[in-house]
Amino acid sequence: MSATGTADGRLPKNATVADHIVARLAEWGVHRYFGYPGDGINGMTSALQRAGDRVEFVQVRHEETAGFAASAHVKYGGGPLGCALVTSGPGAIHLLNGLYDAKLDHQPVVALVGNTALTAEGGGYYQEVDLLALYKDVASDFLAQLDDPSQVRHLVDRACRTALSRRTVTALVLPLDVQDEPAVPDPPYAHGYYHTSAVPSSTPTVPPEAELRRAAEVLRGGGKVAMLVGQGALGAEQEVRLIADRLGAGVAAALLGFTAVDHREPWVTGAIGLLGTRPSWQLMQECDRLLIVGSNMPYSEFYPPQGQARAVQIDLDGTRMGLRYPTEVNLTGDAGPTLRALLRELGDGPAPTAWRAAIADATSAWRRAQADLAGQPADPVNPQLLFHTLNDALPDDAMIAVDCGTATAWYARHLQVRPGMLASLSGTLLSMGGAMPYALAAKFAHPDRPVVALIGDGAMQMNGVNELITVAKNWRHWADPRFVVLVLNNRDLAFVSWEQRSTEGTPRYPASQDVPDVAYHRWAEVLGLDGELVDSPDQVAGLWRRALTADRPVVVNAMVDPAELMLPPHFTLDQARNTAAALLRGDTDRAGIVRRGIPATLTTYRPRRKNP
C-alpha cells in the first residue's frame, strides 16, 4: 500500500480480506504478531503464511502472554505498535489481562480477535461471545467489528491511528467468514465508503513560549528542587540530565521510567513509592520545587505535602496533568523538546550545591545500607544478595524484565540501571505473570542482546513454566542465546503475606499463601536449557558470570528466605503495630521476621546528616 492507501502489488493475486488486513497493518509498522491459533482466525493465520518473511507470528503458550508481549514489544523498542492475534471466545477472553497491562501503561496495541461467522451470530454457536460488549472497556477509544471487505482500510487505519495518538489499546473483531472474502483494497468512489490514509498523525511537541516562561520562573526560584521522571521521559535522558544539572535537582524515578536516568549518579535517589528508597522519600519531603516529567505515579503520600512545593508538570497527555499534586504550570508536550525549550528559558545560573550535596550524602548512605542488608545471613539464601551481585554483573546492553512481587522490591533497591539498558514491568496493572512475556518480547525485538527475567515463584507458576517452552522452541534462532531467568523460590506469595501483616494485622494464612516447591532448574534441563540450584549463599559467587556466559538460556532456582523484610521508605506507626499484631497472633514466619527485622530496621533507618 502507498501512503494514500491504494494497492501497491504486495497483495497476492486473489487476495482475501485477511491478506488485506496484514498488508494494511504493515503500512503502520506491524510486522510481528503475538498469539495462539484457533479456527476463529484461520483466515488470518493463512494470510500470515502467505505473507512469508515479511511478517512474523510468535506462537506463545497462552493468549494472556500474547497481550503482555504485545505491550512489551513497544516498551522494549520492537516497533511503534504492538499486535496480538487470537481466536474467538476463550482466546479473546484469555487475552484481556495482557491488554489491560497495555491500556494502563499507555502502550499502543492493536488487538485482532476472531469471532463467530456472521451467518451464525446470534444463534448460540460454539464459542460465541459478545466481543463488542466484552472489549468495550479495554478498547474504549476504538472498537469495531469488520462486517464488509470495504471496511478494511478505514477500520485498520482508525485502529492504528487511535492506538498511536492516544497511546492505548484498540481492537478489531474479525468474523470468520469475512476473513476469507475477496479483498477490496480500493473501495468505490461513492456515498457510504471511505478512503483513508495510513500516515501517522503528528503529536504535540513543545508548549507555547508563555507557558515555558511561567514554568521557568517557578523553577528558578527554588533552592531545593526535586524531579520525578516516569516513562514519558524515556528517550529524553540527556535533557533530563541537563535540566537536573541546571536546577541542582535530585531525581527520583518511577519504575516505568527507570532507564531515563543513570542510577550510578549521586543525585539520582532511585525508585519512589512503597518500594522506593528512603532518599527519594526525603527528596520529596524536603523540596521546595517539584518538576514532574512524564510520570503519573499514583501514591500521593510519596509526593511533597500539599503547599510545600511549587510544581511544574510535563506530559504528552494534558488530561493527566495535576492529578497527583496541585501543579502551577502544566506543559503539554513531548519530554525531549519540551525540556530543551525549558532549558533555554531557564538560562544560565548557579545551581544550589548544598542541596545536591545533601542528596548525594543521603543516597550514598542508603546504598551502603542496602549493600549491608544484602550481605547479612538468611535462611537459606538472602534474596537481596542475588540482586546486589547481579547489579555488578549486568552487561551494558542488558534487557531486564521484572515481575510483580518481592522481585520488584529488590530490583527497585539494588539494580542501578544505566544508559544503554532496557528495563520494564507491568507498571500500573501490577499483574503477576508479566516478566516472562516481557522477556520474550524483548528478545524477539532484540535477539542480539541478553535478557534477564526476575520472577517470584508464584508468578513463575502462573505462566513462566509454560512460557519456558516458548523459550526452548525459539532460542536457537536468536543471535545471542543469553536468556536468564531468576526464580525467587520462597514457597510463599511473600508480597501479599507482607501486605496482610502490615495493613490487616493478620498473620500469614498458609492456605492462601503457600506455594508448592518446584524444581524449576530441573524443568529447564528437561527442555534442553541449563538450570542452576542455589540453596546456599556460597553458591552465589560466580553465579551470574556462569549464567551470562552460557551458550543457552539458564533458569536459576534460588531458594530464598520468605522472612526477608521489605521495609517501605517511610514505615508508619500503624504498619508497625499491624505487623507486631500479626506476629503476636502466631505468624508462621515470626521467628525469621524477628531475626531479619531487627538488623534490617537498624540498617535502613540509621541516622543521617540533616539537610540544609
Side-chain angles (χ1 to χ4, degrees):
M1 302 281 176
S2 70
T4 58
T6 57
D8 67 356
R10 284 194 293 176
L11 283 176
K13 187 178 181 181
N14 301 321
T16 66
V17 163
D19 293 316
H20 191 190
I21 293 170
V22 171
R24 194 69 180 181
L25 284 168
E27 288 296 295
W28 287 93
V30 176
H31 300 284
R32 180 174 293 121
Y33 298 71
F34 295 93
Y36 200 82
D39 60 0
I41 53 170
N42 278 346
M44 286 297 299
T45 51
S46 296
L48 293 177
Q49 184 179 28
R50 289 190 290 270
D53 59 7
R54 297 198 304 273
V55 297
E56 180 181 23
F57 181 79
V58 180
Q59 183 207 77
V60 292
R61 312 274 64 77
H62 192 281
E63 290 91 352
E64 180 185 41
T65 295
F68 276 124
S71 174
H73 173 81
V74 183
K75 290 184 175 184
Y76 289 94
L81 277 166
C83 188
L85 172 63
V86 303
T87 191
S88 57
I93 295 168
H94 286 162
L95 179 65
L96 282 171
N97 193 53
L99 292 183
Y100 271 105
D101 175 64
K103 179 181 177 72
L104 269 61
D105 279 356
H106 307 288
Q107 301 303 310
V109 169
V110 176
L112 306 175
V113 292
N115 201 16
T116 305
L118 283 177
T119 56
E121 283 187 11
Y125 200 71
Y126 285 117
Q127 300 184 333
E128 184 178 356
V129 173
D130 187 347
L131 295 180
L132 293 175
L134 182 68
Y135 273 65
K136 68 182 297 185
D137 180 54
V138 74
S140 57
D141 282 280
F142 185 74
L143 167 66
Q145 178 167 297
L146 195 157
D147 292 332
D148 187 274
S150 63
Q151 293 177 291
V152 169
R153 271 176 57 173
H154 71 264
L155 291 187
V156 170
D157 288 350
R158 280 201 69 191
C160 294
R161 188 182 312 283
T162 304
L164 288 168
S165 297
R166 298 184 180 171
R167 298 197 63 82
T168 192
V169 173
T170 59
L172 296 179
V173 179
L174 309 176
L176 174 61
D177 48 353
V178 179
Q179 295 171 38
D180 287 323
E181 290 187 17
V184 181
D186 289 304
Y189 182 62
H191 183 74
Y193 294 92
Y194 299 107
H195 301 82
T196 53
S197 164
V199 177
S201 305
S202 65
T203 56
T205 54
V206 181
E209 286 188 18
E211 294 303 300
L212 289 164
R213 282 195 296 272
R214 287 184 59 216
E217 289 169 5
V218 169
L219 295 171
R220 245 194 316 258
K224 299 179 179 180
V225 182
M227 291 178 63
L228 169 59
V229 300
Q231 66 172 337
L234 298 177
E237 293 83 1
Q238 182 64 19
E239 290 83 357
V240 168
R241 170 186 285 276
L242 291 171
I243 284 282
D245 286 343
R246 168 62 184 83
L247 296 172
V251 180
L255 290 179
L256 285 173
F258 236 43
T259 56
V261 288
D262 185 342
H263 288 252
R264 298 169 299 181
E265 293 287 355
W267 43 269
V268 174
T269 60
I272 191 171
L274 189 63
L275 304 181
T277 71
R278 189 154 181 82
S280 290
W281 164 261
Q282 294 164 1
L283 181 74
M284 295 296 162
Q285 291 300 299
E286 299 172 8
C287 69
D288 60 14
R289 296 292 188 277
L290 173 63
L291 174 59
I292 305 169
V293 184
S295 175
N296 201 30
M297 193 275 295
Y299 290 140
S300 58
E301 69 271 27
F302 289 92
Y303 288 88
Q306 184 171 325
Q308 172 187 293
R310 301 180 67 186
V312 173
Q313 186 168 0
I314 298 171
D315 203 291
L316 198 60
D317 184 351
T319 66
R320 296 202 290 269
M321 301 286 200
L323 293 179
R324 310 305 184 196
Y325 193 79
T327 49
E328 279 188 50
V329 184
N330 295 318
L331 301 176
T332 303
D334 191 28
T338 300
L339 287 171
R340 288 194 295 273
L342 180 58
L343 192 63
R344 289 192 294 270
E345 291 293 339
L346 285 168
D348 296 327
T353 56
W355 170 241
R356 264 213 168 170
I359 293 166
D361 181 62
T363 303
S364 177
W366 167 267
R367 290 173 182 170
R368 289 195 302 270
Q370 298 313 295
D372 291 345
L373 286 172
Q376 291 175 356
D379 182 20
V381 177
N382 186 339
Q384 300 195 64
L385 178 63
L386 292 158
F387 284 73
H388 191 72
T389 53
L390 173 62
N391 183 60
D392 296 330
L394 280 173
D396 290 338
D397 61 344
M399 301 184 293
I400 307 162
V402 189
D403 222 295
C404 180
T406 57
T408 322
W410 311 138
Y411 160 75
R413 296 184 176 189
H414 288 283
L415 264 61
Q416 296 178 12
V417 297
R418 52 192 187 270
M421 293 183 179
L422 296 172
S424 199
L425 72 165
S426 177
T428 310
L429 187 61
L430 301 176
S431 177
M432 291 174 62
M436 278 295 284
Y438 271 46
L440 282 166
K443 198 66 176 179
F444 277 101
H446 306 286
D448 57 342
R449 296 177 63 170
V451 66
V452 178
L454 307 171
I455 307 177
D457 49 2
M460 191 66 181
Q461 290 181 20
M462 278 189 170
N463 58 19
V465 290
N466 290 329
E467 294 306 337
L468 274 181
I469 300 172
T470 309
V471 175
K473 175 185 176 182
N474 291 283
W475 73 267
R476 289 178 178 83
H477 303 295
W478 295 331
D480 184 332
R482 291 177 292 175
F483 191 109
V484 182
V485 179
L486 170 65
V487 184
L488 299 179
N489 187 351
N490 56 18
R491 291 75 61 203
D492 179 26
L493 295 175
F495 197 96
V496 178
S497 294
W498 280 110
E499 288 176 324
Q500 289 175 341
R501 294 176 183 118
S502 63
T503 63
E504 300 294 326
T506 57
R508 182 179 177 277
Y509 181 33
S512 74
Q513 299 308 106
D514 281 354
V515 175
D517 185 6
V518 174
Y520 305 100
H521 60 300
R522 296 296 187 199
W523 174 230
E525 291 168 352
V526 167
L527 295 174
L529 313 177
D530 278 353
E532 290 228 18
L533 174 65
V534 177
D535 56 7
S536 165
D538 297 337
Q539 296 169 315
V540 176
L543 168 67
W544 297 118
R545 179 190 57 77
R546 295 191 302 274
L548 288 164
T549 57
D551 64 353
R552 65 192 62 211
V554 179
V555 174
V556 177
N557 182 15
M559 311 298 289
V560 298
D561 193 339
E564 188 66 12
L565 197 64
M566 290 189 304
L567 285 174
H570 177 58
F571 198 49
T572 67
L573 183 58
D574 282 345
Q575 289 171 326
R577 285 171 175 164
N578 287 335
T579 302
L583 300 186
L584 291 173
R585 290 170 181 159
D587 195 291
T588 55
D589 283 336
R590 61 186 179 275
I593 293 169
V594 172
R595 171 178 52 80
R596 297 294 297 125
I598 293 174
T601 303
L602 292 176
T603 301
T604 302
Y605 294 103
R606 63 177 57 171
R608 65 181 184 87
R609 189 180 78 186
K610 185 176 178 59
N611 284 347

